[in-house]
Amino acid sequence: MTVGELARADARGRAAGRGLAWEVGPFAVRLRTKLAAAVDGVRLLYADFPLCDNGTVVDAEFIVRRKRFWPVAVTLRVDGEIQYDWLSPRLVVPMLEWAMNVSVFQRVHQYLMLHSAVVARNGRAAILVGRAGSGKSTLCAGLVERGWRLLSDEVALVDPSDGRLRAVPRPISLKGRSIEVIRRFAPGATIGPSWAGTAKGTVAHVVPPRDSVARSAETAEPAWVIFPIYADGEDASMAPLARAQAFVRAVDNAFNYGVYGRSGFELLSAMIGRCPCFELCYGDLGRAVERIERLVADGGAV
Amino acid sequence: MGRDGLVWRSWDPEQSIVYHCDSGDTHLVNSVTAEVLRVLERSPCTASRIARTIAPRLGVGPDEGLARQVRELLEHLDRVGLAEPVG
């Protein structure tokens, strides 16, 4: 059964009691809250994600509660520790998404993690590496609209046993003007409400395609490493990037490279060595998507 | 100067990536720095001798100017932990 198949009252009841737990790729998470808005938000964004069986050991538990003496504000805890305090109940859904990011980035050291979006076609993945503001999530949403499988919009999970990428196809986070850009580019996409007033401005989330969620267990082979740079007003231009340059930029975007030590160097250099690397400067999403599609069609050459 | 415990990756002749096992640091180095480090991997060496060794590969004469550049480079490598004075 999936999160969305659970009746609203049942979902709220679970969350208010022993918790609403669901699988997200290789992880399991649990939400405990009496805040209906939080549960409703999860039912929308994670509708196609499998519910967990009773007794599943989760990787992270999120507890959202109204503050006892100031009930207009809520506290969000991750595994018992306060992650966000004095939070407006109105913003609990986007804050929950960020709390999930934090809980993944700080603990899942069974994978080498790169700050990047990952999409795949025919089992071969394009890794869009970059921090907030690089345009990777917008580009990711655009490629997903064109049929690419979503593996992640925020973190590449590189399995050290085989160098392949694991999928964690969570909702794609959009900020500011990119929300309207995606609404126009992907009119068929399901986009959740826009949340104004967050620390990152107005945010909204694209619900992951059902097929991407259904194929969460499928890994993908790294095939292209692309460093997007969003530049307002620009068209879209892609240029090859020397692998040594790509490597240092990937390290700069690796959450746990230091934890891995030499094996991280070996793993990341093996990936960079196999993949053509590019820098993509774009202001026009449609042209950027075309550029990547042409790259794939031409066998990886620019 | 001497150094050890380096793991190399080079995808083109102009730049290399070096992992320093002792510190866990990763460095991006150009071809000249790579030549110097390769000499030091074999054994500790003076700046002058390094200059004489790498000059042919760089296509330059082993003059005092090159030796001075090598000395400055060695000081930089010392600061970033890729080399250290010995003896």
Side-chain angles (χ1 to χ4, degrees), chain A residues 145-168:
Chain A
E145 162 64 13
R146 290 294 183 263
W148 288 68
R149 176 165 74 104
L150 173 66
L151 275 80
S152 177
D153 89 311
E154 193 69 23
V155 59
L157 301 179
V158 187
D159 191 327
S161 69
D162 58 13
R164 294 178 66 87
L165 297 161
R166 293 298 308 270
V168 55

Side-chain angles (χ1 to χ4, degrees), chain A residues 23-27 49-50 111 149-151 159 162 164-169 210-220:
Chain A
E23 298 174 11
V24 185
F27 312 118
F49 288 72
Y111 305 105
R149 176 165 74 104
L150 173 66
L151 275 80
D159 191 327
D162 58 13
R164 294 178 66 87
L165 297 161
R166 293 298 308 270
V168 55
R210 179 171 297 174
D211 179 70
S212 295
V213 178
R215 297 169 66 186
S216 291
E218 286 183 36
T219 60

Side-chain angles (χ1 to χ4, degrees), chain A residues 61-129:
Chain A
E61 178 179 73
F62 305 95
I63 300 176
V64 181
R65 288 199 179 119
R66 291 189 183 277
K67 295 186 76 68
R68 179 179 294 185
F69 300 111
W70 198 260
V72 296
V74 301
T75 299
L76 193 160
R77 293 175 182 267
V78 180
D79 294 344
E81 299 294 324
I82 294 177
Q83 186 68 46
Y84 299 112
D85 204 359
W86 293 100
L87 184 61
S88 166
R90 182 180 64 81
L91 298 179
V92 69
V93 172
M95 301 310 283
L96 190 57
E97 283 296 294
W98 283 323
M100 284 199 204
N101 287 345
V102 170
S103 64
V104 169
F105 300 158
Q106 290 183 348
R107 62 183 64 190
V108 292
H109 295 306
Q110 63 265 45
Y111 305 105
L112 179 66
M113 292 183 281
L114 304 179
H115 198 173
S116 56
V118 186
V119 292
R121 174 158 278 168
N122 299 323
R124 306 186 73 215
I127 305 169
L128 313 175
V129 185

Side-chain angles (χ1 to χ4, degrees), chain A:
Chain A
M1 176 179 257
T2 66
V3 172
E5 289 171 337
L6 198 61
R8 174 184 278 183
D10 291 339
R12 291 182 179 181
R14 284 197 190 192
R18 66 179 184 273
L20 176 65
W22 68 99
E23 298 174 11
V24 185
F27 312 118
V29 298
R30 180 166 57 231
L31 170 66
R32 291 171 56 199
T33 185
K34 294 180 180 178
L35 208 64
V39 180
D40 293 347
V42 166
R43 287 186 73 245
L44 171 65
L45 297 181
Y46 292 92
D48 295 319
F49 288 72
L51 288 167
C52 290
D53 296 329
N54 286 340
T56 297
V57 177
V58 297
D59 295 281
E61 178 179 73
F62 305 95
I63 300 176
V64 181
R65 288 199 179 119
R66 291 189 183 277
K67 295 186 76 68
R68 179 179 294 185
F69 300 111
W70 198 260
V72 296
V74 301
T75 299
L76 193 160
R77 293 175 182 267
V78 180
D79 294 344
E81 299 294 324
I82 294 177
Q83 186 68 46
Y84 299 112
D85 204 359
W86 293 100
L87 184 61
S88 166
R90 182 180 64 81
L91 298 179
V92 69
V93 172
M95 301 310 283
L96 190 57
E97 283 296 294
W98 283 323
M100 284 199 204
N101 287 345
V102 170
S103 64
V104 169
F105 300 158
Q106 290 183 348
R107 62 183 64 190
V108 292
H109 295 306
Q110 63 265 45
Y111 305 105
L112 179 66
M113 292 183 281
L114 304 179
H115 198 173
S116 56
V118 186
V119 292
R121 174 158 278 168
N122 299 323
R124 306 186 73 215
I127 305 169
L128 313 175
V129 185
R131 295 198 173 100
S134 63
K136 67 180 185 301
S137 292
T138 307
L139 187 55
C140 172
L143 289 165
V144 168
E145 162 64 13
R146 290 294 183 263
W148 288 68
R149 176 165 74 104
L150 173 66
L151 275 80
S152 177
D153 89 311
E154 193 69 23
V155 59
L157 301 179
V158 187
D159 191 327
S161 69
D162 58 13
R164 294 178 66 87
L165 297 161
R166 293 298 308 270
V168 55
R170 287 177 49 221
I172 302 173
S173 174
L174 303 175
K175 294 183 284 290
R177 287 183 295 172
S178 68
I179 301 171
E180 190 53 36
V181 167
I182 295 300
R183 286 195 195 281
R184 287 198 305 269
F185 190 81
T190 302
I191 302 177
S194 294
W195 309 99
T198 76
K200 298 185 181 182
T202 300
V203 300
H205 304 89
V206 181
V207 175
R210 179 171 297 174
D211 179 70
S212 295
V213 178
R215 297 169 66 186
S216 291
E218 286 183 36
T219 60
E221 175 195 354
W224 306 277
V225 178
I226 300 171
F227 295 85
I229 299 173
Y230 177 73
D232 192 21
E234 291 291 319
D235 188 18
S237 61
M238 182 180 287
L241 189 61
R243 284 192 164 90
Q245 293 288 338
F247 182 91
V248 293
R249 288 171 70 167
V251 169
D252 197 38
N253 284 279
F255 292 112
N256 58 351
Y257 177 77
V259 170
Y260 269 73
R262 178 174 173 172
S263 61
F265 175 85
E266 305 275 10
L267 185 60
L268 193 55
S269 60
M271 186 178 81
I272 294 292
R274 288 196 303 269
C275 299
C277 303
F278 305 94
E279 187 172 89
L280 170 63
C281 184
Y282 83 98
D284 185 312
L285 175 62
R287 295 298 295 266
V289 168
E290 284 173 11
R291 202 61 197 86
I292 292 176
E293 301 253 85
R294 194 157 72 237
L295 171 72
V296 173
D298 292 345
V302 177

